[in-house]
Amino acid sequence: MSNIQKWTVPGYSCTLFGNRSPITSLGELTVYIDFDRKQFQVNLSDGRTIGGPFKTFLSGTVYQTKGMFGFYIGTSFYLFGENASFADGYLAYPASGTADMVWVSTATAQSGPLLRSSSDNFYSSPSPTGEPVAAICYLAGTLILTPQGERTIETLQPGDEVVVRREGIDCAETIRWVGSARQVVDKRERHDERAGYPVRLRTNALGKRMPHQDLYVTAEHCLFLEGCFVPARMLINDDTIAYDRSRNSFTYFHIELETHGIILANGVESETYLDTGNRLLFAQSAIEGPTLLHLPQKRSWEKDACAPLNVAPEFVRGLWEKFASVSAAEFARRHPISADPALHLMRDDGTVLTPYRHDGQTYLFRLDAQPRIYHLCSRSVRPCEETGPFLDDRREFGVLVSALMLWTSTVMTALSVEHCAATQPGWHRAYDATGAWTTGDAMLVLDDDAFDGLSQVILSVRLAGTKPYPVPLEEMPHLPATASGTI
């Protein structure tokens, strides 16, 4: 899929004057980065939006800047990441004369760690992984109703008119903006909507001549049904409405009116573009106004949509059952599952460590004294997979961890699962007496105090619960018959 990611994190800015410039906190914001086109967009908490191209990328590696990233344009720097003390300082150029930056503490005036620069060779690998940004659009070939009849969406231009349905009345309105982009499916991604596969609504999937020919949209695109907008992904039934896994890449399009509206796409009531912060996705043209350098304030479903977005499970389930040919229970049974969480550890360098012993819900791993950071990995499942696509809950649940212990020949150290859940990525923040759930990829940072200088230690992971996990088809011949046993 497109290499656009977003983060909702604290942000900082700095405009260099001389070699000692204070850092200003921007508060929590949402930042989008298009790593392919080298564009960024920042949505500030006050509603303002800034964006444009950039060339030099910065990433922090240690101490106060670890996990932080950013970029600069001219003398303006933008930095992002969780760091409560970072704003209490300055940015300065190091003596080396490179484009790197040094964080300097206000309290001590001592130079701190570097924010390393990509210089003129742009790269994206140093940044923390963000959330992929989904496209919300029509595929090429979609027929949009205009006052002169249906036209394919790729032929529409700013200034053309389309038929818009407002409060049940059809009228002609002018297109203000047209966007298009190329989507490449990421076949490594297990979830179809995150991989970027389009959704196909077969002819008559929603009723007679709705659509009047197969309609292809992206998974997050919304259809207007029974007075509300509903994302196409929530109607998937693997029959009349299904992901088209035959497409590895495709071009998609969207059109924007003066205000959000309902148009007819292959005879189906559907939405025009509503800029909720993802305009960066598109190569675009407009009559006036919106460009990547001078964006309007982003809009919201709550204030600017022409009809409500409704993802309530009781409402969407009713629609799903209306359009599906099987029950929700039968639909769920079609997908292979496994009781084995396939628990393992992974180092930052990609090395996989499997448990040397597995007794019931306890897994034992042999670790070297270095490194001290691992990822606790497993299969995972989302509530929308357990219950049905009509449930808008796409959180990943891996395993429920109740206890973590490190053993040496002389020392046993209990690691706080509650602390891991509260501070480390890959854990659900909710913690109770039974433990905490991982997302399937949870970070474990092992304290130095837990080691006694020996070359190896034993990590014990005790689980309080697992789930039935969806299994990719390519794994089916190798599935274990049961989750118990010795590894």
Side-chain angles (χ1 to χ4, degrees):
M1 61 188 304
S2 60
N3 192 14
I4 299 176
Q5 298 177 29
K6 77 171 183 178
W7 298 258
T8 299
V9 290
Y12 310 88
S13 67
C14 176
T15 301
L16 285 182
F17 294 104
N19 194 36
R20 191 177 175 88
S21 302
I23 301 167
T24 301
S25 174
L26 299 174
E28 184 143 305
L29 48 75
T30 301
V31 56
Y32 297 80
I33 298 180
D34 184 336
F35 287 112
D36 293 332
R37 293 192 292 158
K38 304 179 183 64
Q39 301 274 0
F40 80 96
Q41 178 177 316
V42 176
N43 297 336
L44 301 173
S45 58
D46 62 6
R48 291 180 297 127
T49 302
I50 55 176
F54 67 97
K55 192 172 184 179
T56 303
F57 192 85
L58 298 166
S59 66
T61 56
V62 294
Y63 303 116
Q64 290 92 340
T65 64
K66 184 174 177 60
M68 299 193 71
F69 64 99
F71 40 79
Y72 64 81
I73 308 166
T75 59
S76 295
F77 286 74
Y78 296 97
L79 304 164
F80 312 98
E82 298 281 351
N83 195 315
S85 64
F86 188 71
D88 187 21
Y90 298 85
L91 282 184
Y93 287 112
S96 62
T98 68
D100 295 345
M101 298 301 299
V102 174
W103 178 83
V104 182
S105 168
T106 302
T108 65
Q110 293 181 346
S111 295
L114 282 172
L115 284 154
R116 294 198 177 275
S117 167
S118 63
S119 190
D120 290 333
N121 298 316
F122 180 87
Y123 61 92
S124 60
S125 56
S127 68
T129 301
E131 177 185 347
V133 177
I136 305 176
C137 329
Y138 303 93
L139 271 65
T142 300
L143 297 173
I144 304 298
L145 185 61
T146 76
Q148 291 76 39
E150 290 184 320
R151 287 176 55 182
T152 55
I153 192 167
E154 62 268 29
T155 66
L156 296 173
Q157 298 295 325
D160 292 342
E161 289 187 334
V162 294
V163 172
V164 183
R165 188 161 290 173
R166 297 197 185 275
E167 299 182 357
I169 300 174
D170 290 352
C171 56
E173 294 188 16
T174 301
I175 297 173
R176 309 297 296 180
W177 172 94
V178 170
S180 65
R182 188 74 179 165
Q183 177 91 327
V184 178
V185 171
D186 183 358
K187 293 186 176 181
R188 299 167 299 175
E189 173 58 57
R190 180 170 71 87
H191 304 304
D192 289 327
E193 86 280 4
R194 290 178 66 100
Y197 288 109
V199 174
R200 177 178 63 187
L201 291 88
R202 292 187 182 274
T203 303
N204 303 323
L206 306 177
K208 187 176 181 180
R209 292 186 57 78
M210 294 176 56
H212 58 64
Q213 69 180 48
D214 288 2
L215 173 65
Y216 293 87
V217 296
T218 53
E220 294 295 336
H221 189 83
C222 288
L223 309 174
F224 185 69
L225 300 166
E226 298 187 8
C228 299
F229 283 111
V230 178
R233 62 176 167 79
M234 298 186 71
L235 302 174
I236 294 292
N237 56 36
D238 288 348
D239 183 13
T240 58
I241 305 173
Y243 290 104
D244 182 358
R245 299 182 183 89
S246 69
R247 299 203 182 202
N248 297 324
S249 63
F250 54 88
T251 302
Y252 56 80
F253 300 82
H254 223 327
I255 58 175
E256 184 179 31
L257 308 175
E258 193 66 36
T259 59
H260 192 228
I262 297 168
I263 57 177
L264 293 174
N266 291 14
V268 173
E269 293 183 326
S270 186
E271 64 169 328
T272 60
Y273 179 64
L274 180 68
D275 182 14
T276 56
N278 60 356
R279 196 184 294 270
L280 184 66
L281 284 165
F282 300 95
Q284 52 194 296
S285 59
I287 293 178
E288 59 185 19
T291 68
L292 280 175
L293 292 176
H294 303 286
L295 291 166
Q297 290 189 0
K298 67 183 181 69
R299 296 172 176 174
S300 70
W301 277 97
E302 294 76 16
K303 295 180 180 179
D304 303 297
C306 64
L309 175 67
N310 193 339
V311 294
E314 61 275 7
F315 174 75
V316 183
R317 181 166 187 157
L319 292 173
W320 188 92
E321 292 174 342
K322 178 180 177 180
F323 303 136
S325 60
V326 298
S327 68
E330 184 178 346
F331 177 78
R333 286 196 295 270
R334 291 180 174 181
H335 301 86
I337 59 173
S338 171
D340 180 12
L343 194 69
H344 60 280
L345 293 178
M346 183 177 292
R347 295 173 178 164
D348 281 342
D349 64 4
T351 302
V352 173
L353 303 178
T354 58
Y356 76 89
R357 182 176 176 184
H358 167 202
D359 184 9
Q361 294 285 67
T362 300
Y363 295 75
L364 300 179
F365 299 87
R366 288 191 177 96
L367 307 181
D368 294 328
Q370 294 291 342
R372 303 288 171 87
I373 298 177
Y374 292 86
H375 294 261
L376 182 63
C377 300
S378 69
R379 289 191 171 110
S380 63
V381 64
R382 305 184 297 178
C384 63
E385 294 171 308
E386 292 181 286
T387 304
F390 43 78
L391 180 63
D392 190 35
D393 189 343
R394 291 181 285 172
R395 294 174 297 163
E396 297 274 2
F397 287 86
V399 293
L400 179 60
V401 179
S402 62
L404 296 164
M405 291 188 179
L406 277 175
W407 302 80
T408 71
S409 59
T410 58
V411 180
M412 185 276 288
T413 304
L415 306 178
S416 171
V417 176
E418 183 176 8
H419 177 74
C420 289
T423 62
Q424 301 301 329
W427 295 84
H428 286 280
R429 296 299 181 235
Y431 173 85
D432 57 29
T434 59
W437 284 96
T438 72
T439 64
D441 182 359
M443 184 175 288
L444 282 178
V445 180
L446 308 180
D447 294 334
D448 292 342
D449 294 343
F451 294 81
D452 60 2
L454 299 178
S455 59
Q456 274 198 341
V457 297
I458 303 299
L459 173 66
S460 169
V461 180
R462 188 166 73 238
L463 305 183
T466 58
K467 287 179 174 287
Y469 301 101
V471 179
L473 292 177
E474 59 268 22
E475 289 188 24
M476 287 300 293
H478 311 293
L479 278 180
T482 175
S484 62
T486 302
I487 297 178

